[in-house]
Amino acid sequence: MTHIEDTQSEELDIIFQDKFLIAVHKPAGLLVHKSPIDKHETRYAMKILRDQIGQWVYPAHRLDKPTSGLLLFALHKDIASQLSAAFEQRLISKTYQAIVRGYTHEHGDIDHPLKEIAVFKHLQKQVEKKAPKDARTQYERLTCYELPYSDGRFPSSRYSHIQLRPETGRKHQIRRHLKHISHPIIGDVKYGKGEHNRLFNEHLNSQRLLLAATQLSFTHPATEQTLNLSCPLEENFQNCLASLDQYRPQV
């Protein structure tokens, strides 16, 4: 039997577009571009957007596959180079939201160097010899919750909804930093806690990484205007927050 590929076109929500840039809302579970690590994946944001607007696009930065939110592309190669340089020089302000285990401090500044992550196993020893690079993430707590369900250690379970601003751009920086301060992100199968991921799955029907890119602020490389882009939380993230609302501690 001949396999017939589903030709139904997929589209991404466009947050901003001009003749130089385009910003979209990337759903959780979608790759930014083709990756040798996920060879089986045929869906990725770069291809979907290219087909959607009929024009080649250049990714200006990356979001992890399980992270949703604001993703910026350039429509010209030179603009992409300028944006990449701006990200590297920390001239672009990035804001994220996450739900994490435990009650965090009201404000925090995580200053913890991170080692490079090897893309392939055969490069691991080579990468491990390198010194860690500086990495810094600021956060503030928006809300906290106490759920009447045991995580296996305590009769109830506590969580925080936080906003984060990474000042550097190391791979998996936010996820690794939150693990470092013992507040891992819910739904993180690599750096998180299985008992809390399962609790959210069972009681809140949440199976995703609860991390989303929500804002980008930067100077437009062509017009030199200040751009403040914002992206709503994906529906499944919003539904999770709505379910959590009943568990806010009574003041």
Side-chain angles (χ1 to χ4, degrees):
M1 179 184 288
T2 304
H3 174 71
I4 300 174
E5 188 176 349
D6 182 6
T7 56
Q8 185 177 357
S9 60
E10 183 176 5
E11 293 193 343
L12 299 173
D13 290 338
I14 295 173
I15 304 295
F16 172 86
Q17 182 178 7
D18 64 11
K19 59 184 179 180
F20 306 102
L21 309 171
I22 184 166
V24 301
H25 186 176
K26 183 189 86 69
L30 182 67
L31 287 170
V32 173
H33 53 76
K34 189 182 288 187
S35 167
I37 300 172
D38 284 293
K39 290 181 180 178
H40 65 286
E41 288 285 3
T42 56
R43 292 173 60 249
Y44 45 98
M46 189 175 170
K47 180 179 185 296
I48 294 169
L49 187 58
R50 180 192 66 199
D51 293 345
Q52 181 175 338
I53 67 171
Q55 183 177 348
W56 193 262
V57 296
Y58 303 85
H61 63 128
R62 306 287 186 268
L63 288 180
D64 292 345
K65 181 180 176 181
T67 304
S68 63
L70 194 55
L71 182 61
L72 183 65
F73 291 89
L75 298 178
H76 307 282
K77 196 172 183 178
D78 60 326
I79 296 292
S81 298
Q82 292 177 61
L83 287 171
S84 295
F87 273 106
E88 288 177 13
Q89 294 164 22
R90 306 177 189 179
L91 299 175
I92 296 181
S93 173
K94 300 171 287 185
T95 304
Y96 291 75
Q97 289 187 33
I99 298 174
V100 303
R101 183 198 73 80
Y103 286 178
T104 67
H105 295 302
E106 289 190 8
H107 299 272
D109 189 346
I110 309 168
D111 190 351
H112 176 67
L114 295 171
K115 284 200 142 236
E116 187 179 332
I117 296 175
V119 179
F120 299 106
K121 260 189 178 178
H122 71 275
L123 298 174
Q124 196 164 337
K125 287 185 179 179
Q126 181 182 337
V127 166
E128 284 173 355
K129 293 177 184 177
K130 297 181 180 180
K133 294 182 178 179
D134 69 301
R136 188 170 176 178
T137 305
Q138 294 182 345
Y139 72 85
E140 62 177 303
R141 191 178 71 206
L142 303 176
T143 321
C144 53
Y145 311 96
E146 184 165 7
L147 278 61
Y149 308 116
S150 174
D151 64 355
R153 295 178 61 203
F154 303 102
S156 62
S157 301
R158 292 178 170 184
Y159 302 96
S160 299
H161 177 202
I162 63 175
Q163 183 165 273
L164 304 111
R165 291 184 178 85
E167 295 183 6
T168 50
R170 310 304 174 204
K171 188 170 184 179
H172 298 173
Q173 176 174 314
I174 291 175
R175 296 163 66 185
R176 294 163 75 188
H177 267 176
L178 289 170
K179 178 189 176 183
H180 174 70
I181 64 168
S182 300
H183 292 291
I185 302 174
I186 304 305
D188 195 334
V189 297
K190 187 174 179 69
Y191 302 105
K193 293 285 188 182
E195 57 269 29
H196 294 282
N197 297 347
R198 287 189 291 273
L199 190 150
F200 267 63
N201 188 350
E202 180 180 348
H203 297 287
L204 299 171
N205 192 32
S206 177
Q207 296 92 28
R208 59 161 290 170
L209 173 72
L210 290 168
L211 175 65
T214 55
Q215 294 177 353
L216 284 174
S217 297
F218 59 98
T219 300
H220 194 298
T223 67
E224 297 187 352
Q225 292 180 322
T226 299
L227 280 182
N228 296 302
L229 305 180
S230 60
C231 178
L233 294 171
E234 197 172 5
E235 186 177 3
N236 48 25
F237 201 135
Q238 290 185 39
N239 290 342
C240 185
L241 283 174
S243 298
L244 282 168
D245 199 53
Q246 62 186 305
Y247 301 116
R248 292 190 190 200
Q250 298 299 313
V251 179

